[in-house]
Amino acid sequence: MLARIDGGAGSAAWRRPRVVLWAAVSVVALGFLIALEIAARGYGVPGPITAQAREVIFAPASGTVLYASMTLMLVVLTWRQRFLAVGAAIAIDLVFWLVRWAVGAEMMFGNGALWVTLGGAVIAVTRRTGRERALLLKGVGLALLLVAGRKTGYTWLLITSKTRPMVLDPYVAAADHALGNPSWVAGRIVEATGTVGAHVLDWVYVQLAVAAVIVALYQLRNVAAERRFPGHHLVRTFLVIGLLGPGIYMVFPVVGPIFAYGADGGQWALADLWPNTPPPVGTPQPMPFDEVTPRNCMPSLHTAWATAIFVHSRKGPLALRLLGTFWLITTLGATLGFGYHYGADIISGVVFTLTIDAAMRSFDRGWDRQGIQLVGYGAAVFVALLTSYRYLSVEMAGQPWVFGPLLVLATASVVYGYVRATRRWDRQAEPVRLPEPRREPQPELV
């Protein structure tokens, strides 16, 4: 009896700081959403809260994302509850579809998934208690975070286009000479593949969240049985990347080669060179651009997210590892081949992701010397990359045989450090197998 009391008191004492932490995180997140809502309204467009609230009734922007988000909530439910939830979502969507068809409104699915997700929150508050309530609320929160992340991303992109009239594309384009102008090379390759190749890359680029949910579902497959979430999983890294990345956009605004050096830039483009002719090396200067195009290139968050998917798929079965590899390769092909990013954006995105994932792993398992060193080193390399693009771009273009290998080696050093550290952490996390006790031979009975 005393053991039960002590265990319960210890457990409660251990949970109390975590409750305070999550409460503080929730308050900060709500304040952040309200600030973005106010900023968006200042520019005459609905913010993330309004945009998400409209999707309860009106046609969603992406039904795929809403169903993918609902799927994350389903990991906390039993199989029977999952079938009921999916059936309810489909039934609600059918009703919405019939009504929209009857009144001639825009046709789209996804409302049912959002209704079921919000219904999970209502059930958790009204019908569940204790650990069951906390588990269901975590599942709902995970689903809504994915949806909210997409909405806040749109608002951030709007803010970058309105508040950063000057962009730094000439600097990045000059630095990209050290890497062989990979966007121009990939652009010509995509043009040579024709319509089919371009459609495949475009689908992969747009449906990045689908691959993330597939990998996350594998990592969270035992949540319902164990009644708890694992300490480190893809969704956490995915969300932190989306939270911190737009802040870098504000510091280093870049629109991308297809806008700065291509036909899509219209009158704002320096020239119509992409993807056939790399830009000449001159003296880079910040260039003005319109108030519509997002400054969302540095770092490449699509590359960052695809790298996170690749890293977190490594412990899965062969099919999942192949999926992660395919998504990373095709995402790189799309980001470069469509002219959305420079090569410099790509390597910065890789360093950005591995640093964040190492920090999330260290936060979960406890900070040790190797974790602190790895995160500090990754952050230093990331800052050094951006600084070199801004202040050494002419030298990088003039001596590509020196700076090209240096950029690759700097990125490779972060990759090596990450692989080495995570392998060590994984070995430490493996349960120790004690040898079986030796059995003494028994004397034969006569």
Side-chain angles (χ1 to χ4, degrees), residues 38 48 53 63 65 79 93 127 131 137 150 172 183 212 228 244-245 297 310 313 335 350 363 388 402 404:
I38 294 172
V65 171
W79 278 107
D93 265 331
R127 304 289 297 273
R131 292 183 60 186
L137 285 176
R150 190 179 181 93
V172 186
S183 181
R228 65 180 181 87
L244 298 181
C297 285
F310 174 81
S313 66
T335 53
V350 172
F363 177 79
S388 66
V402 174

Side-chain angles (χ1 to χ4, degrees), residues 81-427:
Q81 293 168 338
R82 292 170 185 172
F83 285 122
L84 291 174
V86 173
I90 294 174
I92 294 171
D93 265 331
L94 286 174
V95 173
F96 271 96
W97 189 88
L98 290 173
V99 172
R100 288 180 180 136
W101 176 75
V103 299
E106 179 185 358
M107 304 302 294
M108 179 54 72
F109 65 95
N111 302 86
L114 182 58
W115 278 44
V116 169
T117 302
L118 296 175
V122 174
I123 292 174
V125 173
T126 60
R127 304 289 297 273
R128 302 287 179 88
T129 58
R131 292 183 60 186
E132 295 297 319
R133 172 185 290 175
L135 186 67
L136 183 52
L137 285 176
K138 285 182 180 179
V140 172
L142 201 64
L144 293 180
L145 278 174
L146 182 61
V147 176
R150 190 179 181 93
K151 298 300 182 185
T152 56
Y154 291 149
T155 304
W156 261 119
L157 296 184
L158 172 69
I159 293 174
T160 64
S161 65
K162 299 295 185 182
T163 62
R164 292 296 180 267
M166 308 296 287
V167 298
L168 304 178
D169 283 76
Y171 296 90
V172 186
D176 235 33
H177 281 274
L179 298 171
N181 299 298
S183 181
W184 273 258
V185 175
R188 292 193 294 271
I189 294 174
V190 170
E191 282 190 347
T193 61
T195 306
V196 176
H199 283 170
V200 171
L201 293 179
D202 182 66
W203 185 85
V204 169
Y205 190 83
V206 173
Q207 301 298 338
L208 184 70
V210 174
V213 168
I214 292 173
V215 175
L217 287 177
Y218 175 79
Q219 292 182 322
L220 304 176
R221 66 193 184 279
N222 296 323
V223 169
E226 297 177 357
R227 314 310 295 163
R228 65 180 181 87
F229 281 85
H232 180 62
H233 52 84
L234 172 62
V235 180
R236 295 176 64 183
T237 301
F238 213 80
L239 292 172
V240 174
I241 289 172
L243 178 65
L244 298 181
I248 311 299
Y249 295 163
M250 302 292 288
V251 177
F252 207 111
V254 180
V255 293
I258 197 172
F259 297 104
Y261 297 97
D264 287 21
Q267 63 177 349
W268 298 94
L270 289 176
D272 188 1
L273 301 175
W274 187 90
N276 298 313
T277 307
V281 179
T283 302
Q285 296 290 335
M287 59 178 286
F289 216 80
D290 62 28
E291 295 185 357
V292 177
T293 307
R295 281 63 163 152
N296 61 338
C297 285
M298 183 64 71
S300 168
L301 291 197
H302 262 80
T303 300
W305 284 319
T307 302
I309 291 171
F310 174 81
V311 167
H312 282 262
S313 66
R314 294 307 87 192
K315 293 184 180 180
L318 177 60
L320 197 67
R321 298 197 301 271
L322 291 176
L323 173 71
T325 304
F326 168 79
W327 226 273
L328 177 59
I329 294 174
T330 50
T331 298
L332 292 177
T335 53
L336 292 172
F338 290 149
Y340 297 149
H341 289 279
Y342 303 90
D345 307 337
I346 303 301
I347 63 175
S348 300
V350 172
V351 173
F352 186 68
T353 296
L354 298 183
T355 303
I356 289 177
D357 197 69
M360 299 304 294
R361 284 177 178 263
S362 297
F363 177 79
D364 173 57
R365 65 183 301 277
W367 290 90
D368 59 7
R369 182 178 178 181
Q370 190 170 20
I372 295 172
Q373 289 177 340
L374 177 58
V375 174
Y377 179 71
V381 170
F382 181 75
V383 172
L385 288 175
L386 268 62
T387 304
S388 66
Y389 301 155
R390 179 63 175 82
Y391 297 105
L392 295 174
S393 58
V394 175
E395 291 78 4
M396 295 169 76
Q399 303 180 51
W401 58 88
V402 174
F403 286 95
L406 284 178
L407 291 174
V408 174
L409 285 174
T411 306
S413 67
V414 176
V415 174
Y416 173 76
Y418 176 85
V419 172
R420 183 181 178 184
T422 52
R423 284 180 176 176
R424 175 174 171 267
W425 294 337
D426 290 342
R427 286 196 302 269

